[in-house]
Amino acid sequence: MNTGAWTGPVRFWMKRCMTVRGFSVDRPRLVLGIETSCDETGAAVLDENGVILGESLHSQKQTHLDAGGIIPTVAQRLHKENISRVVQEALSRSSIEPCELTAVATTVKPGLALSLGIGLEFSLKFARLHEKPFIPIHHMEAHALTVRMLHPVDFPFLVLLVSGGHSLLALAKGIDEFLLLGQSLDEAAGDTLDKIARRLSLRNHPECSTLSGGQAIELLAKEGNRLEFHFRSPMGQLFDCNFSFAGLRNQVTMAIIKKEKEEGVETGQLLSCVKDIAAAAQHTVASHIAKRTHRAILFCKAKGLLPHHNPTLVLSGGVASNEYIRQTVKIITDATGMQLVCPPSKFCTDNGVMIAWNGIERLKHGKGILSHAEEVYYEPKAPLGLDITAEVKEAAIKVPPLKLRLNS
Ligand code: KG4
Ligand code: ZN
């Protein structure tokens, strides 16, 4: 019987039935992935071909948006309240019993200590109860590799991860082999956008009340004129691939304070020029990201670190959903002969699927699988791969000027 026309749970159920009836069919291995490193409680069951059999996600975003930021104890409580249900939902949507799983994979680093702790404690209990191997997962490695579930991207490839917690450039050489080329020296791009949005009181804008800061800025920027404000691109005199967003946020805050005085606007009220500020801030974030990425590409090419055939840049993380930032990065990849691959937004943000997929990759390569989940600890801080940022800085590669203007 050909099961190719069937997908998801139906296809899997057929395979199981055939096995029960004595057909010799290879049963795909299954991994349950669990994510709780920040503000999403996620779980998913994947087979080794990358078919998502079932998933569930509980987002805490609205709670944190209402509170004006993530309060770790609140995040911990919400993970605790939801994890059991989320895992149960992922399993039942998959029509999978725990005994049918091959392994359990869970984020153990990096992230908020209190959040990581809930996922790890639950997962270890679950793995012990059902006598399953446990696969500890590095959250950033999972972000970097998710693309391989969707596209045939071979190693080595370049990765640009921009989210609320991280901004980094790395070379992915293998499933557990990364070279860190650059990272944020202060705050992450998404964090900056969130803080600017809060300072602009965008929660009080009728179209933005349920959006994350980054989403609100992207929406308003579409109708703004970025030329009304000029913010300097950060780190222009530093020839490395690190990022810095705190200084830019300061520039934006100063401009907001000036305008508030001019317009006599009080805290919580919206400035008349919010769209222009959003457009200018978004443009400066995009061009900073693009320029550091340009240098990373030139560095990798100069050192022979990228393949000649189809060199690829993968762009992921929550901020990668931003179409303006994607298009600005595309200008760089087009100019340097790179293929740009962006997973769909759903897979750029935190979820159980990306963790399960990383578990599958590790299972296939027999790497990092613990047969007895005894002594496993979480690590709130965990760098991605081997840090070669100093070598990148020493190379001091000058980036040729490129027109990074998408409009106006
Ligand atoms: O990856 P993610 O869901 O969570 C982590 O930070 O790990 O990313 C969330 C971040 C937030 O800072 C949010 O404002 C930002 O991604 N973000 C965006 C957009 N959508 C989400 N930033 C810019 N443009 C967007 N469309
Ligand atoms: Zn993330």
Side-chain angles (χ1 to χ4, degrees), residues 46 50 145-146 148-149 353-361 364:
L46 254 67
L145 301 188
T146 308
R148 285 162 50 82
M149 184 184 87
V353 173
M354 69 184 219
I355 305 305
W357 174 252
N358 201 237
I360 295 280
E361 293 251 47
K364 282 181 179 169

Side-chain angles (χ1 to χ4, degrees), residues 146-276:
T146 308
V147 68
R148 285 162 50 82
M149 184 184 87
L150 308 158
H151 302 275
V153 179
D154 290 331
F155 297 113
F157 58 90
L158 200 54
V159 192
L160 167 59
L161 293 177
V162 272
S163 70
H166 302 271
S167 301
L168 62 85
L169 278 156
L171 185 76
K173 297 180 75 181
I175 63 154
D176 60 351
E177 206 184 342
F178 294 83
L179 295 180
L180 183 67
L181 304 168
Q183 62 186 332
S184 181
L185 301 178
D186 37 58
E187 55 197 45
D191 191 22
T192 303
L193 293 172
D194 291 341
K195 285 172 175 159
I196 292 174
R198 271 207 295 280
R199 186 62 188 78
L200 285 168
S201 303
L202 297 189
R203 284 268 287 149
N204 298 335
H205 191 286
E207 290 172 61
C208 301
S209 59
T210 61
L211 301 183
S212 69
Q215 286 171 323
I217 286 190
E218 178 170 32
L219 182 76
L220 296 182
K222 284 187 179 134
E223 292 176 8
N225 177 5
R226 69 173 181 81
L227 298 176
E228 288 293 323
F229 291 87
H230 176 71
F231 303 125
R232 283 181 314 285
S233 193
M235 303 175 88
Q237 297 309 310
L238 292 173
F239 302 114
D240 58 22
C241 292
N242 290 325
F243 301 94
S244 167
F245 295 98
L248 167 63
R249 179 159 62 84
N250 198 35
Q251 290 182 64
V252 177
T253 306
M254 301 302 276
I256 295 172
I257 291 171
K258 187 165 172 270
K259 280 286 163 192
E260 281 174 344
K261 277 191 189 137
E262 278 172 30
E263 294 188 7
V265 158
E266 300 199 353
T267 314
Q269 290 181 322
L270 291 164
L271 284 168
S272 65
C273 54
V274 275
K275 292 180 176 172
D276 300 336

Side-chain angles (χ1 to χ4, degrees), residues 37 139-140 143 163 166 348-350 354:
S37 68
H139 182 83
M140 305 312 287
H143 266 308
S163 70
H166 302 271
C348 281
T349 52
D350 296 350
M354 69 184 219

